[in-house]
Amino acid sequence: EAEDLESLETPMTIVNPVMGVWPKDAPDAQEEVLLRFEQGRCIAVNGKALKPLQVLQLCNEIAGRNGLGISQALENRILGTKSRGVYEAPGMELLGQGITYVYQAVLDRRSTSLFRQLSTHVSDQIYDGRYFDPSTRTAINAIWQLAEPAHGTVKLGLFKGHAHFLSLTDCPHSI
C-alpha cells in the first residue's frame, strides 16, 4: 500500500510534505501565535474571530510553514494487518497543543484522566467506522461537558517543528 515506506529501514523523509515543510526547512526565527478557545473550541487566531473551517485553514498555514504536524505511523488495521504512512495535520497539531494547555488549567486530575479515556474511546471508534455507535455518541457528549469551562487565550512560540508554551490568559475557570 505504501510502497517504499513499508520498509522500516526507509526514512519518512522520502515523502514530500504538501501542507508544510520539514522542521529543518522551517524559518530560523520563532513565530508567535495566539489561539482563543471558548468551551474547548478555537474561535480566534491572532486576535481575529474566525469560523471553524477558517480557524483550521489558518492554523494549517501557520503551523505548516513552521514544520509542525508531520508524523509517521505504523498502524494496526482492523483486519489485523499493519500499514505504515506519513501524515500531515499541522493545524490540528497546533490546535491540539493549544487546547491541551487550557485543559491543564481548568480540569483536575480525575477529569483529565476521564477526558483522555473518553478521547481514546472516541478515536478508536471513529477509526473503526463506529461514529454512530451509542458508546461513541455518549463519550462525545461527555467530552463536550468536560470542555465547557475550557476558555482561554494561549500564546505559543513555533520554531522548527515545535510549539512552545509562552502564556495563558483570560482563563476564568483555571483551578
Side-chain angles (χ1 to χ4, degrees), residues 73-88:
L74 186 58
E75 300 176 62
N76 291 303
R77 299 291 177 146
I78 196 167
L79 299 173
T81 61
K82 298 251 185 200
S83 178
R84 183 173 177 222
V86 175
Y87 300 96
E88 291 180 82

Side-chain angles (χ1 to χ4, degrees), residues 117-138:
Q117 291 172 34
L118 292 168
S119 296
T120 299
H121 177 73
V122 169
S123 66
D124 288 345
Q125 289 288 92
I126 290 173
Y127 187 85
D128 291 346
R130 299 180 186 280
Y131 179 80
F132 294 104
D133 183 88
S135 69
T136 308
R137 305 304 306 151
T138 301

Side-chain angles (χ1 to χ4, degrees), residues 100-120:
T100 296
Y101 293 119
V102 179
Y103 286 141
Q104 287 173 349
V106 301
L107 297 177
D108 64 15
R109 180 175 51 88
R110 287 178 185 83
S111 296
T112 299
S113 176
L114 178 59
F115 185 92
R116 287 183 181 142
Q117 291 172 34
L118 292 168
S119 296
T120 299

